Structure formats: structure tokens, C-alpha cells
Amino acid sequence: MDANTSYVIELFVHYHYNGTSGITFGISGPASPTVVRSSYDFGDATHTHGYDTFYTSGLSITTIADGFIKFNVTVQNGSNAGYFSFQWAQQTSSANTTVVYKGSYLKYSKV
């Protein structure tokens, strides 16, 4: 992400996990942005949704083995250039697999 530039970001992830491994995830970006607004929706048992004014991390799903994660993010980046990323891992270490499926995507536009 370029310094002093605004972005609109859409992220949609299809996932699957076996057993009780679950999935934990979050988004991150350059340090010290001027503004971050993120809304999210998870296809879990309670259909979790929320809104944050910072990069969100440490979220998890352990109730729906096949589902989706959706983020809509607006970033007014500050003076630090850097990368925007979606980070994920198993919620619980397990020999069972946790997979992010092909066809998941991240789209962004400078605004």
C-alpha cells in the first residue's frame, strides 16, 4: 500500500476444516494508518458480523467446518507504505487439515 493513499478492499474466503481444528484469522496492514474501517461477516453457526476501526486479528471459527469469511475495509494510509494481508491458521493444532479454497479472493482499489 502506498503512503498517504486511500484504499477500498474486499476479501472473500471459502474455508474448510476437519475435526476440531477450526480456523483463526485476521487482517493487517502498514503501521499508523490515518483511518481503518472494517466490517466483517462469517458464515459460522451464529452468522457473526461486526465493525472495527482498526486492523482486526485473533478472530476464529470453530462451529462450521465449511463456510466463508468476508471483510470490507476502507484504509486511509498514513506515511508508512507496506502490505495489506489476510493471515490465517488452524485454531487448534491438529493433524486434521484446515484449507482456504481456490476461488477465494482479495480485491482492492485506490480511491
Side-chain angles (χ1 to χ4, degrees), residues 29-42:
S32 303
T34 305
V35 174
V36 175
R37 293 183 183 96
S38 64
S39 62
Y40 50 84
D41 192 13
F42 314 155

Side-chain angles (χ1 to χ4, degrees), residues 2-101:
D2 296 335
N4 303 309
T5 305
S6 295
Y7 293 86
V8 174
I9 302 163
E10 178 181 315
L11 172 73
F12 194 87
V13 174
H14 295 275
Y15 70 86
H16 172 80
Y17 63 83
N18 291 309
T20 59
S21 57
I23 185 169
T24 186
F25 54 92
I27 57 174
S28 66
S32 303
T34 305
V35 174
V36 175
R37 293 183 183 96
S38 64
S39 62
Y40 50 84
D41 192 13
F42 314 155
D44 62 1
T46 58
H47 201 64
T48 301
H49 56 276
Y51 177 83
D52 285 325
T53 56
F54 50 86
Y55 294 123
T56 305
S57 64
L59 301 169
S60 63
I61 300 173
T62 57
T63 56
I64 297 293
D66 284 297
F68 70 88
I69 301 163
K70 182 177 181 181
F71 278 95
N72 289 297
V73 185
T74 301
V75 178
Q76 293 174 5
N77 202 19
S79 60
N80 296 308
Y83 295 101
F84 178 88
S85 65
F86 172 72
Q87 300 164 329
W88 67 275
Q90 284 186 322
Q91 171 66 20
T92 304
S93 181
S94 170
N96 295 320
T97 59
T98 300
V99 177
V100 169
Y101 285 122

